[in-house]
Amino acid sequence: MRNRRVIPILAAASALLMLTACAPDRTQVTPSEMPTAAPTEAGFDAYAQTLEWSTCGSLQCADVRVPLDWTNPSGESITLKINKLPAKGEAKGALLINPGGPGGSGLDFTEYFGVSAGEDLLKAYDVIGFDPRGVGSSTPIDCGGAQTVDAYVVTDFPLETEADVAAANQRNEDFAKGCQDRTGALIANVDTVSAARDMDVIRALVGDEKLNYLGFSYGTQLGATYAELYPDHVGQMALDGAVDFLLPSDDQAAGQAAGFENALTNFVTWCAKESTCHLDKNPDAAKKQIHDIAFNAIAHPVSGNGIKVNGNLMTYGIVVTLYDEASWPYLEQGLNEVIDQNTATIMAQLADFYLDRDVETGEYLTNSTVAFTAISCLDDSDQTVWDLSTVDAFRAKMEQASPTFGWWFAASTGCSQWPFEAHQTVDSLSKAASASPILVVGTTNDPATPYQWAKNLTDELGNATLLTYDGEGHTAYGRSNQCIIDAVDGWLVDGAMPRSGTVC
């Protein structure tokens, strides 16, 4: 029973990049300009096409056609948008990258990766970014305008009675069918297995016999899934910010809830030492303040940036800053404003960033929010329909894991009554054990993908080595220290696997 409150897991580096106003400009694209599913000629073979690269800013771009439905590979096709940052030296091949999500744009990530990755890696590989199926500039999921999406993901709904739960389940079904009306059959084909199959097409078209890959956050699930489907095609692979997607979904949610509770504890401990911090100096009391600020906003939304910041928005604004300790000052300023002025301008801006909404118009800049839900729910193999007892049990588990955020993790019925199911899911990594060795990177205080998940995924892959970053924040490569860059580049470029137990 996958819960929609499991937080989108994107590389924290890209989050910090945007918070510091260094992100590349993204112009909104109207639905009429987006690629759509299209009939294919008889005998269509995705592996037989040729890439036609063109210049797009400082990068090169191309389109890739892949089957809409991989169970019918010669049927309708969709378009994937990919881009390339050419190697600074003599390329030994291509390195496919993914920033996470699900729903994160790999096209947006490529340019940033070019200034955060190690020099040895950038000299050795053509870096390939891509928007996965259903995401961004590839043939996208469309679930409606801002008003429709806000009603589904922003509104605070009660879950106290059987009628409340039934209404929440119906909202899930109605929203999904609205996505289907606008998207067509793609809504039932954006699962992770299909996306991993698309990755194999990209591998072949760029001319590599094996896939060289660096995936962050949810991108580790994509990579591990690929290794299970195509163990003989795995080249140099590193997975940073590991998702243990074989865990039951309620255990995944509890792990994240505990991770963000730990990150919040570290934040309030840091804040207590700052003369500008207006929270209580006692960590438990400070966390209780933060809980009350968010929870009370359900009944009493706080004005900020022209909108009413409710419980959902307040929590979005808080958790987005916990991805990277460099963002903690934004949270301090936002909380100070709520405490001192009872306004939430900063929290509204942070929530808009989390949701990828324009701070002035309220329009969604990308479809990452709805893609996250559609992909996550399609991957969920548990079709349990929630009732009040399910909600109560889940709420108790979340509040035990996180006294501050537990109520919020349990504020929806997850994917209950989502009407679509993937053709195939991965529930074992037994075949991946025969692949080439894989490097897994875990951060000890990662809130979104707890360190234990990195340990678990290392064991589940069967032929993997764990590299540890001892620090705060989500993911490590490109945002932690040179030790991590040297170790990861050593594997991806030179094939030198770090010693088991290495800690940076």
Side-chain angles (χ1 to χ4, degrees):
M1 52 180 186
R2 187 174 297 276
N3 192 277
R4 213 162 22 88
R5 287 288 184 234
V6 173
I7 296 173
I9 34 186
L10 295 151
S14 57
L16 180 61
L17 173 73
M18 295 188 190
L19 278 173
T20 51
C22 297
D25 179 61
R26 291 176 294 168
T27 303
Q28 284 183 276
V29 179
T30 64
S32 62
E33 297 173 304
M34 302 302 288
T36 58
T40 56
E41 63 276 8
F44 169 69
D45 180 359
Y47 288 88
Q49 63 193 297
T50 301
L51 293 180
E52 296 182 5
W53 294 101
S54 60
T55 300
C56 51
S58 61
L59 306 175
Q60 297 176 23
C61 293
D63 290 352
V64 177
R65 293 168 64 203
V66 293
L68 166 67
D69 179 351
W70 271 103
T71 66
N72 181 21
S74 61
E76 283 189 275
S77 65
I78 57 174
T79 299
L80 302 182
K81 298 288 186 177
I82 69 173
N83 60 12
K84 176 170 66 174
L85 177 66
K88 294 182 178 180
E90 184 177 349
K92 62 183 292 182
L95 178 75
L96 193 65
I97 59 172
N98 181 274
S105 170
L107 298 183
D108 287 351
F109 190 56
T110 305
E111 190 169 359
Y112 170 74
F113 189 83
V115 299
S116 64
E119 282 299 310
D120 289 346
L121 185 148
L122 295 173
K123 289 178 182 177
Y125 285 108
D126 292 330
V127 176
I128 306 292
F130 70 109
D131 279 359
R133 56 175 51 224
V135 174
S137 297
S138 294
T139 304
I141 295 166
D142 179 6
C143 294
Q147 186 174 357
T148 299
V149 178
D150 282 350
Y152 184 61
V153 303
V154 173
T155 306
D156 292 322
F157 292 107
L159 280 179
E160 302 300 333
T161 67
E162 289 287 5
D164 291 340
V165 176
N169 290 341
Q170 190 61 50
R171 279 192 298 273
N172 290 343
E173 183 174 342
D174 292 346
F175 185 76
K177 289 182 176 178
C179 299
Q180 182 184 38
D181 290 343
R182 296 174 177 85
T183 304
L186 178 62
I187 193 67
N189 289 280
V190 290
D191 54 285
T192 297
V193 167
S194 294
R197 295 193 185 283
D198 297 342
M199 286 165 53
D200 196 58
V201 174
I202 296 172
R203 171 202 61 77
L205 297 184
V206 298
D208 287 348
E209 292 186 6
K210 293 183 181 291
L211 178 74
N212 304 305
Y213 179 76
L214 175 55
F216 299 86
S217 308
Y218 163 78
T220 67
Q221 181 175 341
L222 265 177
T225 298
Y226 182 91
E228 178 67 14
L229 297 175
Y230 304 101
D232 294 339
H233 292 180
V234 173
Q236 307 297 109
M237 180 176 287
L239 308 176
D240 184 3
V243 178
D244 183 7
F245 60 97
L246 301 185
L247 279 175
S249 55
D250 59 337
D251 288 341
Q252 288 188 46
Q256 270 204 340
F260 278 94
E261 187 75 22
N262 179 66
L264 188 70
T265 299
N266 293 339
F267 161 75
V268 298
T269 301
W270 166 85
C271 203
K273 300 173 185 177
E274 300 295 308
S275 61
T276 53
C277 181
H278 297 177
L279 289 170
D280 195 290
K281 300 302 181 185
N282 177 276
D284 290 337
K287 289 197 296 181
K288 180 63 164 57
Q289 279 181 282
I290 293 170
H291 168 278
D292 291 348
I293 286 171
F295 188 79
N296 292 341
I298 298 173
H300 305 286
V302 182
S303 296
N305 207 40
I307 63 174
K308 292 291 187 180
V309 179
N310 64 1
N312 267 330
L313 291 174
M314 196 71 77
T315 307
Y316 292 147
I318 294 167
V319 299
V320 74
T321 64
L322 299 177
Y323 278 72
D324 192 305
E325 69 270 29
S327 301
W328 287 356
Y330 295 99
L331 179 54
E332 178 197 354
Q333 294 165 23
L335 293 172
N336 284 350
E337 181 193 359
V338 176
I339 293 168
D340 297 342
Q341 304 174 37
N342 195 33
T343 59
T345 300
I346 294 173
M347 299 307 293
Q349 293 171 342
L350 291 170
D352 280 336
F353 165 73
Y354 176 98
L355 294 168
D356 219 359
R357 294 195 310 190
D358 187 281
V359 296
E360 295 181 356
T361 68
E363 294 295 320
Y364 286 81
L365 298 171
T366 70
N367 73 338
S368 61
T369 296
V370 296
F372 168 78
T373 297
I375 297 167
S376 297
C377 289
L378 198 58
D379 279 348
D380 188 10
S381 59
D382 185 349
Q383 297 299 303
T384 301
V385 176
W386 291 38
D387 59 19
L388 185 58
S389 65
T390 314
V391 171
D392 287 343
F394 185 71
R395 181 183 292 128
K397 186 169 187 172
M398 294 305 102
E399 290 180 344
Q400 181 178 18
S402 174
T404 306
F405 301 119
W407 66 271
W408 180 77
F409 274 85
S412 83
T413 58
C415 297
S416 180
Q417 255 174 254
W418 194 262
F420 311 113
E421 189 173 355
H423 296 296
Q424 181 183 0
T425 57
V426 168
D427 56 12
S428 166
L429 292 174
S430 58
K431 295 178 182 177
S434 66
S436 297
I438 295 172
L439 177 62
V440 177
V441 186
T443 298
T444 55
N445 288 322
D446 190 322
T449 52
Y451 181 62
Q452 184 62 45
W453 291 3
K455 292 181 177 179
N456 294 352
L457 186 62
T458 302
D459 291 340
E460 290 157 359
L461 286 168
N463 191 20
T465 296
L466 176 63
L467 170 67
T468 299
Y469 170 54
D470 185 6
E472 299 288 336
H474 179 42
T475 73
Y477 186 83
R479 60 158 297 272
S480 56
N481 59 30
Q482 193 62 39
C483 173
I484 289 290
I485 287 180
D486 290 344
V488 174
D489 286 4
W491 169 240
L492 293 177
V493 177
D494 302 320
M497 181 67 78
R499 288 179 301 182
S500 179
T502 298
V503 178
C504 289

